[in-house]
Amino acid sequence: GAVVSQHPSRVICKSGTSVKIECRSLDFQATTMFWYRQFPKQSLMLMATSNEGSKATYEQGVEKDKFLINHASLTLSTLTVTSAHPEDSSFYICSASRAGGARGYTFGSGTRLTVV
Amino acid sequence: RKEVEQDPGPFNVPEGATVAFNCTYSNSASQSFFWYRQDCRKEPKLLMSVYSSGNEDGRFTAQLNRASQYISLLIRDSKLSDSATYLCVVNPNTGNQFYFGTGTSLTVIP
């Protein structure tokens, strides 16, 4: 089945630094990937849609200059949290759909970011 | 109004019980529906798609009611391993964006 790999699984960084999270589709090509954020006891919230070879589409309220998304190939999308602050601490998850909307998503294993 | 709404629970049921979750969606034109399972501090995993005619997978039954705009998940003969958060997911068919419910927490008690 479709496999999405996300790295790192856990990261702790100092306030003001930047963190890059990678999301790879291992056995399929994903022209579109999605980045979600999940705070404790809350639902997944879509942050942005990452499109291969073009600019990402950000959801309302998500700062594009703070959350940089690069989707340079059909199998890799990266999310960089720039100048991280403690309030950015969250669970970040990427996902991709192998066959459009018909079969749902495959999610990466998530990245737990803690900013201290 | 939220795109997808779920009762967050928690549902605490004894082993062997039958439990049902409902989820309502706001966009009547929605085309694809899913139930995902999320274990604590893990990523969501697809449990089952929901088809118009209803579908069953072992102890799990999913149903869609388009007239009332809700989907349901029924779990029979609950196992301890069923303890998780169950997420209702809807694709309104306006692109690839999916909308997630807040999830319903289930704990199966020995």
Side-chain angles (χ1 to χ4, degrees):
Chain A
V3 178
V4 174
S5 173
Q6 188 172 339
H7 177 80
S9 59
R10 191 181 298 266
V11 59
I12 301 173
C13 71
K14 289 186 178 180
S15 186
T17 60
S18 296
V19 173
K20 180 186 283 189
I21 303 169
E22 291 188 350
C23 180
R24 293 180 186 273
S25 55
L26 296 187
D27 56 350
F28 67 102
Q29 293 183 333
T31 55
T32 305
M33 291 185 177
F34 304 88
W35 288 97
Y36 289 83
R37 180 166 54 182
Q38 186 177 33
F39 293 105
K41 299 188 185 299
Q42 295 187 24
S43 181
L44 288 157
M45 294 299 295
L46 180 66
M47 298 176 66
T49 302
S50 171
N51 304 297
E52 187 269 335
S54 65
K55 291 183 179 180
T57 304
Y58 290 83
E59 295 300 300
Q60 192 172 7
V62 178
E63 299 174 56
K64 62 180 181 181
D65 295 328
K66 180 171 181 61
F67 299 99
L68 301 179
I69 291 174
N70 184 281
H71 194 153
S73 78
L74 287 170
T75 59
L76 173 64
S77 175
T78 61
L79 168 69
T80 301
V81 182
T82 62
S83 186
H85 287 99
E87 57 264 32
D88 298 324
S89 299
S90 185
F91 191 46
Y92 293 85
I93 309 178
C94 70
S95 72
S97 176
R98 182 172 193 155
R103 297 181 185 176
Y105 279 130
T106 298
F107 286 86
S109 54
T111 298
R112 189 159 300 281
L113 171 64
T114 303
V115 184
V116 298
Chain B
R1 184 182 173 187
K2 290 184 180 179
E3 293 281 346
V4 179
E5 298 207 51
Q6 275 185 265
D7 179 351
F11 285 70
N12 299 312
V13 302
E15 265 187 294
T18 295
V19 61
F21 310 133
N22 282 341
C23 166
T24 59
Y25 59 95
S26 61
N27 188 335
S28 60
S30 296
Q31 295 297 318
S32 303
F33 309 88
F34 308 90
W35 283 102
Y36 277 74
R37 170 190 171 132
Q38 186 175 25
D39 292 291
C40 188
R41 303 174 80 86
K42 296 284 183 65
E43 77 277 18
K45 293 187 178 178
L46 180 63
L47 178 65
M48 58 197 303
S49 302
V50 185
Y51 301 123
S52 296
S53 56
N55 48 298
E56 189 174 304
D57 182 2
R59 298 180 293 109
F60 298 85
T61 301
Q63 291 195 312
L64 168 64
N65 184 317
R66 286 193 181 275
S68 301
Q69 294 180 212
Y70 76 83
I71 65 173
S72 64
L73 176 67
L74 181 78
I75 305 176
R76 290 183 300 277
D77 189 23
S78 300
K79 311 289 184 191
L80 296 178
S81 57
D82 294 334
S83 298
T85 296
Y86 291 83
L87 299 167
C88 163
V89 183
V90 176
N91 179 354
N93 210 33
T94 53
N96 275 326
Q97 185 168 336
F98 284 49
Y99 291 97
F100 288 79
T102 51
T104 299
S105 173
L106 171 67
T107 301
V108 180
I109 304 165

